[in-house]
């Protein structure tokens, strides 16, 4: 195969995020014991590697995942949402292992891909908010500071008034 491994690139598309486990842990924050959750996440991605071979671009699509632990206030019953504002990747290393024959099918490669994420992780729970208020009545009509509408001057020469008027209503 004839290509420069420095020209190998990749693109990443984030997939489903799975909450694997959450465990309560006690932390001391500003001198106060607080129970938070250590949440184990599996982030799934689709990565497309672009390999320039003999003037054309070969695309190899791969699925992979990476695991991450985060500390949140996310007790059981809450939903953990991960939103990505940016996802990018680059090929750190790429080694092609060709057996020396002319068939591309027997060639294999080893690649190290790095994925960079900008993310927001939130826990949420549906709540009902109650507002205490007294019965209210419609308010009085507010005085308007706007003048009453005035009909603009007319053009009786262009739009004659056939009712015998002077063109003004």
């Amino acid at each position: 195969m004839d290509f420069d491994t420095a020209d190998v690139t990749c693109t990443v598309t984030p997939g489903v995020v799975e909450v694997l486990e959450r465990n309560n842990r006690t932390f001391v924050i500003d001198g106060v014991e607080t129970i938070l959750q250590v949440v184990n996440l599996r982030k799934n991605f689709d990565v497309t590697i672009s390999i320039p071979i003999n003037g054309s671009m070969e695309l190899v699509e791969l699925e992979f995942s990476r695991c991450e632990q985060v500390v949140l206030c996310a007790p059981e019953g809450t939903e953990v949402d991960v939103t990505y504002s940016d996802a990018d990747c680059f090929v750190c290393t790429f080694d092609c292992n060709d057996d020396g024959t002319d068939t591309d099918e027997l060639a294999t490669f080893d690649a190290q891909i790095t994925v960079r994420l900008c993310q927001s992780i939130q826990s949420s729970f549906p709540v009902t908010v109650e507002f205490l208020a007294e019965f209210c009545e419609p308010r009085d009509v507010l005085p308007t500071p706007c003048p009453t509408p005035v009909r603009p001057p007319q053009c009786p020469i262009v739009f004659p008034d056939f009712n015998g008027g002077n063109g003004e209503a």
Side-chain angles (χ1 to χ4, degrees):
M1 281 192 261
D2 185 26
F3 68 93
D4 185 0
T5 58
D7 293 334
V8 177
T9 60
C10 65
T11 57
V12 62
T13 304
V16 176
V17 176
E18 302 168 69
V19 176
L20 301 176
E21 184 179 23
R22 55 177 108 192
N23 297 307
N24 291 338
R25 293 257 177 92
T26 302
F27 294 89
V28 177
I29 301 173
D30 292 332
V32 178
E33 282 192 4
T34 305
I35 296 177
L36 297 175
Q37 287 68 44
V38 175
V39 181
N40 296 334
L41 301 172
R42 179 183 299 132
K43 298 175 181 177
N44 299 297
F45 303 96
D46 293 321
V47 173
T48 303
I49 301 174
S50 301
I51 307 168
I53 299 177
N54 300 328
S56 67
M57 195 63 72
E58 293 292 324
L59 302 178
V60 178
E61 295 182 5
L62 305 170
E63 293 179 0
F64 79 99
S65 62
R66 91 178 190 195
C67 293
E68 185 175 321
Q69 272 190 341
V70 294
V71 177
L72 299 172
C73 178
E76 285 298 328
T78 59
E79 185 173 322
V80 176
D81 297 311
V82 178
T83 308
Y84 300 108
S85 58
D86 189 27
D88 200 3
C89 69
F90 72 92
V91 179
C92 185
T93 61
F94 186 88
D95 295 315
C96 185
N97 303 317
D98 192 354
D99 69 349
T101 64
D102 290 336
T103 62
D104 290 339
E105 294 178 17
L106 299 176
T108 61
F109 67 86
D110 292 321
Q112 184 178 20
I113 308 292
T114 300
V115 173
R116 178 182 50 81
L117 299 171
C118 294
Q119 62 188 359
S120 169
I121 302 175
Q122 297 179 341
S123 65
S124 60
F125 186 81
V127 297
T128 301
V129 179
E130 181 180 348
F131 293 98
L132 297 177
E134 295 184 25
F135 186 75
C136 60
E137 297 288 330
R139 65 182 157 113
D140 290 336
V141 176
L142 298 175
T144 58
C146 300
T148 57
V150 177
R151 186 174 208 160
Q154 302 299 305
C155 299
I157 305 269
V158 178
F159 303 105
D161 181 6
F162 295 108
N163 294 329
N166 60 2
E168 295 182 14

